[in-house]
Amino acid sequence: MSDTTATAGQGHITGFGTKGYRSFVLISLMLVYTLNFIDRTLITVVAQPIINEFNLSDTQWGLLAGPPFAFFYALMGIPIAMWADRSNRVMIIVMCIVIWSLMTALCGVASGFIWLLIFRVGVAVGEAGCTPPANSIITDYFPPKSRAGALGIYSMGVTIGGVLAQLFGGTIAGISGEDFGAWLGSLGVGGLFSGIDWSTVGGWRIAFVVVGLPGVLIALILLFTIKEPPRGYSDPPAEVDTTKKVGFFDAFREFGVKPTFWWLSMGAALVAFVGYGLISFQAPFFQRVHGIGVRDAAVLYGAPLAAVAAGGTFFGGFLSEKLEGRFPSAAAWVPGVGLLISVPTYVGAFFAPTIGLAFMLWIVAAIAHYAYLGAQYTVGTGIVSPKSRATTIAVLLLIVSLIGNGIGPLFVGLMSDFFMSGQIAAAGLSDMAATFNPRLCGTDPTALGENGPALCQAYADGLRYSMAATACFMALAALCYFMAARYFGGDRYNPAVPAAGMHT
């Protein structure tokens, strides 16, 4: 680790530590965020095998993928963030990594729907302690002029995590239990697992264990390499007392009076509503609509889409930073432009007649969609004082989580079942709706008889229509970002003006 090379009172110009060490810290935190999203989104990569093994409807899957995780993520986010505004943020992140990594591994041994649900709640509790303290640390390492780019790089963890979840999860999930057991035997450690009947172990279970456990080692590395920076170090010196601790209501009085925060929160929540809804059913979409397997859906399509989304995240932060000198509110309105572009391209992708055309349109939509990610942190931290940033981001994420992750996947699942029922009725097969078992479309379609093709087509089209309808909410999100841009200039944090609720 390096000591700071900045002279006292010059942190707002130089930042904390050497340039090389700041870069190391930023990349390390981005990798932590990447790990966060690998473990969070892995379940969506192996969605269809879980749906098949536990015989779930799309509504049940939407429930598993959304509300419980979102509720506990939101419930724990604020108290952990308040703790981070008062205590060692690096230590908090380390402890949370250990919790979510172990819980991810336990998802692989879940014996039923309820146990999988419980372990997913454990993942949510751990992951609630990642982003608020990480954002707070970054703003203390980087001066204001560099934060949009730094937070844009950090935010790439979302989409890079999506890439790696697709690659690792899809590849491992495609391995049979017998092959994995034989591989362990070839390494000489098969005896440690002699009590396991590998023929009964699905690849999706192996994926959770293999992907989850390395997080414990990463947490230990982080503990010994990242230095906790002084709070407010990289902000202009005309500050409130940096030794003063603030409570939740102090922070709330600061950001709660600013329209930018509420427009930003609603915009980010609507984007997350669409994003979490679509990602939760992305793999099933490719498998049902285009008839490909879980591995190919993840490796050939899911991973590239996540990669270009990472590019969109970086591009959004880079463009905002470049435009900020001429357009001070660019960080808020650039995402709005991207979101408007994503609506027709997403809808086109879902109704494209070939997987190649669908993939190309989805690439454009993903780049435009994910340009918003860095902005929500740049704007959110830019309107409050250093001592309130973790709490402000936690409240933002609470709103985003409850509306986005809490409702998005469930909404897509409910609408998918609704549209599927309508398609079955339109095909004149209403009398078969009650006995139709959709899992047979992927495991044994011949068991459905002569009406099998029509029923499976309804199963696929129901999801297609649901995802298209959900994507249209991006237009409302864009409006919210444009409104946030309208107020952002006046709501920016000004160290020369005492923040509301902050008593010096």
Side-chain angles (χ1 to χ4, degrees), residues 404-475:
N405 201 10
I407 304 176
L410 181 58
F411 178 83
V412 175
L414 283 167
M415 295 302 292
S416 177
D417 287 339
F418 172 78
F419 284 123
M420 180 183 72
S421 297
Q423 290 295 104
I424 290 176
L429 301 174
S430 297
D431 57 328
M432 300 188 65
T435 59
F436 171 45
N437 184 355
R439 68 173 293 187
L440 295 175
C441 292
T443 57
D444 187 16
T446 59
L448 295 170
E450 62 178 358
N451 292 316
L455 291 169
C456 291
Q457 187 63 48
Y459 186 43
D461 284 345
L463 184 55
R464 186 200 302 265
Y465 294 136
S466 175
M467 293 175 76
T470 303
C472 292
F473 284 90
M474 288 293 204

Side-chain angles (χ1 to χ4, degrees), residues 247-257 261-262 388 391 395 500:
F248 171 78
F249 290 105
D250 288 321
F252 185 84
R253 280 191 291 270
E254 185 177 358
F255 66 74
V257 298
F261 176 81
W262 300 108
S388 298
T391 300
V395 174

Side-chain angles (χ1 to χ4, degrees), residues 181-240:
W183 177 72
L184 290 177
S186 70
L187 297 178
V189 296
L192 298 175
F193 307 96
S194 58
I196 298 177
D197 180 2
W198 289 106
S199 65
T200 64
V201 178
W204 68 269
R205 295 182 178 277
I206 299 170
F208 274 115
V209 176
V210 171
V211 170
L213 287 180
V216 178
L217 177 61
I218 292 173
L220 291 176
I221 294 173
L222 190 75
L223 177 64
F224 293 108
T225 58
I226 303 298
K227 183 176 181 179
E228 174 78 5
R231 281 177 212 279
Y233 184 90
S234 296
D235 284 278
E239 288 281 351
V240 294

Side-chain angles (χ1 to χ4, degrees), residues 33-376:
Y33 204 21
T34 299
L35 177 66
N36 180 292
F37 263 79
I38 291 174
D39 291 357
R40 182 185 308 191
T41 60
L42 176 60
I43 195 170
T44 67
V45 177
V46 295
Q48 198 64 48
I50 294 175
I51 290 171
N52 292 341
E53 181 162 332
F54 295 140
N55 198 22
L56 305 178
S57 67
D58 280 353
T59 300
Q60 289 175 309
W61 170 250
L63 175 66
L64 176 62
F69 183 98
F71 176 77
F72 282 93
Y73 184 88
L75 181 68
M76 296 303 298
I78 290 180
I80 292 177
M82 291 176 63
W83 183 21
D85 273 335
R86 297 165 176 263
S87 303
N88 187 298
R89 293 161 289 184
V90 175
M91 183 65 70
I92 291 170
I93 292 174
V94 166
M95 289 188 292
C96 288
I97 293 173
V98 172
I99 292 172
W100 88 57
S101 298
L102 291 176
M103 289 296 162
T104 297
L106 286 173
C107 286
V109 299
S111 59
F113 176 80
I114 297 300
W115 277 111
L116 186 57
L117 193 64
I118 291 171
F119 295 140
R120 281 291 291 171
V121 166
V123 175
V125 171
E127 294 198 345
C130 175
T131 295
N135 270 262
S136 181
I137 288 173
I138 290 170
T139 58
D140 285 337
Y141 267 96
F142 289 84
K145 65 180 180 180
S146 303
R147 285 177 189 163
L151 289 170
I153 291 172
Y154 170 75
S155 299
M156 288 172 64
V158 173
T159 44
I160 294 175
V163 173
L164 297 180
Q166 299 283 346
L167 289 176
F168 292 141
T171 300
I172 298 171
I175 300 174
S176 68
E178 295 97 323
D179 289 343
F180 188 75
W183 177 72
L184 290 177
S186 70
L187 297 178
V189 296
L192 298 175
F193 307 96
S194 58
I196 298 177
D197 180 2
W198 289 106
S199 65
T200 64
V201 178
W204 68 269
R205 295 182 178 277
I206 299 170
F208 274 115
V209 176
V210 171
V211 170
L213 287 180
V216 178
L217 177 61
I218 292 173
L220 291 176
I221 294 173
L222 190 75
L223 177 64
F224 293 108
T225 58
I226 303 298
K227 183 176 181 179
E228 174 78 5
R231 281 177 212 279
Y233 184 90
S234 296
D235 284 278
E239 288 281 351
V240 294
D241 181 7
T242 57
T243 64
K244 183 180 183 296
K245 308 298 183 182
V246 299
F248 171 78
F249 290 105
D250 288 321
F252 185 84
R253 280 191 291 270
E254 185 177 358
F255 66 74
V257 298
K258 298 186 175 182
T260 300
F261 176 81
W262 300 108
W263 284 113
L264 171 70
S265 297
M266 187 53 62
L270 286 170
V271 179
F273 169 83
V274 177
Y276 280 114
L278 298 187
I279 194 65
S280 295
F281 286 90
Q282 176 179 288
F285 173 87
F286 281 119
Q287 292 167 66
R288 296 179 199 177
V289 175
H290 296 289
I292 60 178
V294 60
R295 180 191 176 280
D296 287 348
V299 175
L300 300 183
Y301 299 99
L305 285 173
V308 298
T313 301
F314 175 78
F315 178 71
F318 174 81
L319 185 61
S320 297
E321 191 171 298
K322 291 299 181 182
L323 292 174
E324 188 175 20
R326 184 176 179 185
F327 305 101
S329 298
W333 61 257
V334 165
V337 175
L339 296 175
L340 287 179
I341 294 172
S342 74
V343 175
T345 45
Y346 267 135
V347 173
F350 302 142
F351 287 99
T354 66
I355 193 170
L357 180 57
F359 184 54
M360 293 305 297
L361 288 170
W362 211 321
I363 285 175
V364 177
I367 292 173
H369 170 174
Y370 285 96
Y372 89 100
L373 262 177
Q376 73 177 20

